[in-house]
Amino acid sequence: MLNEIKIMRMLNHQHILKLYGVYESTNSIYLILELLLGGNLNEKIGDNICNKYSDVEIIMKSLLEAVDTIHN
């Protein structure tokens, strides 16, 4: 968990969830994260909302850019 928090603090990319703060109590860690609206990718695929090639292309490009940022 601590390693993930450290990595999230270093990331700044439009397609990666932003970590705004971390608060710790005696038995819990609370992460203050960016609010994202619009559902999740699994819902969009399951509901056939992104069934056009252009939709898939946009999603894949966004995912690959985010993975590249994390890798670097």
Side-chain angles (χ1 to χ4, degrees):
M1 180 68 136
L2 296 177
N3 191 41
E4 184 173 340
I5 291 168
K6 178 182 169 186
I7 292 168
M8 286 185 74
R9 283 184 171 148
M10 293 186 300
L11 297 174
N12 183 19
H13 190 273
Q14 66 180 357
H15 301 302
I16 298 175
L17 189 70
K18 288 179 181 46
L19 174 66
Y20 290 116
V22 178
Y23 298 95
E24 189 174 348
S25 68
T26 54
N27 60 356
S28 299
I29 297 176
Y30 301 93
L31 304 179
I32 309 303
L33 301 170
E34 176 181 14
L35 175 63
L36 300 179
L37 303 173
N40 63 53
L41 183 58
N42 190 43
E43 291 171 352
K44 294 189 182 310
I45 292 171
D47 294 341
N48 291 324
I49 293 172
C50 64
N51 55 5
K52 294 184 290 184
Y53 177 77
S54 60
D55 295 337
V56 173
E57 182 180 16
I58 291 167
I59 291 168
M60 288 304 299
K61 184 175 185 281
S62 300
L63 287 170
L64 291 172
E65 286 175 359
V67 168
D68 183 56
T69 296
I70 295 168
H71 177 74
N72 288 328

